[in-house]
């Protein structure tokens, strides 16, 4: 069953185009994670938070990635990483235009 992983954490920048340049290598590496399907990158300069919404093929793969990514972020000096995994209600999501990879 596909799951959503929501992650957010305190972030001091860079933002926008500078973030894109700074995080390009990380973004490329995420594509290689087991079970990874897609990610929406999130940022809020006003609240000094960043993160992402991910779709994974299974809860086990999402959990493994969350543990790896949390450790990586903490090694970058991020003090706290919030992560939560949600089951996807596919029928309702598709009714509201969600696109899934089968």
């Amino acid at each position: 069953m596909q799951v959503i992983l929501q992650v957010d954490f305190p972030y001091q920048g860079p933002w926008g185009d500078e973030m894109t340049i700074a995080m390009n290598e990380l973004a490329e590496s995420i594509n290689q994670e087991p079970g990874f399907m897609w990610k929406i990158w999130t940022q809020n300069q006003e609240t000094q938070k960043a993160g992402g919404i991910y779709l994974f093929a299974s809860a086990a793969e999402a959990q493994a990635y969350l543990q790896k990514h949390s450790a990586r972020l903490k090694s970058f000096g991020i003090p706290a990483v919030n992560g939560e995994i949600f089951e996807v209600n596919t029928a309702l999501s598709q009714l509201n235009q969600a696109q899934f990879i089968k």
Side-chain angles (χ1 to χ4, degrees):
M1 168 184 272
Q2 295 175 346
V3 298
I4 293 290
L5 169 61
Q6 176 205 333
V7 176
D8 67 82
F9 48 88
Y11 184 70
Q12 303 293 315
W15 306 99
D17 291 342
E18 291 177 6
M19 181 182 189
T20 301
I21 294 166
M23 300 298 174
N24 195 314
E25 189 174 319
L26 174 61
E28 291 290 341
S29 75
I30 293 169
N31 289 332
Q32 308 308 312
E33 293 296 328
F36 172 78
M37 301 174 91
W38 53 252
K39 176 181 181 179
I40 297 172
W41 289 71
T42 58
Q43 60 182 22
N44 187 327
Q45 189 171 0
E46 185 176 314
T47 63
Q48 299 285 287
K49 283 187 173 182
I53 308 294
Y54 305 73
L55 182 67
F56 277 90
S58 73
E61 290 164 322
Q63 184 62 47
Y65 178 75
L66 176 59
Q67 289 174 341
K68 176 181 179 177
H69 192 47
S70 294
R72 175 175 39 210
L73 289 170
K74 289 179 182 178
S75 78
F76 295 160
I78 305 293
V81 178
N82 302 311
E84 192 164 352
I85 297 170
F86 298 90
E87 293 178 356
V88 175
N89 183 313
T90 304
L92 286 173
S93 298
Q94 288 175 330
L95 181 65
N96 293 124
Q97 315 312 316
Q99 302 293 314
F100 294 95
I101 299 171
K102 303 269 190 256

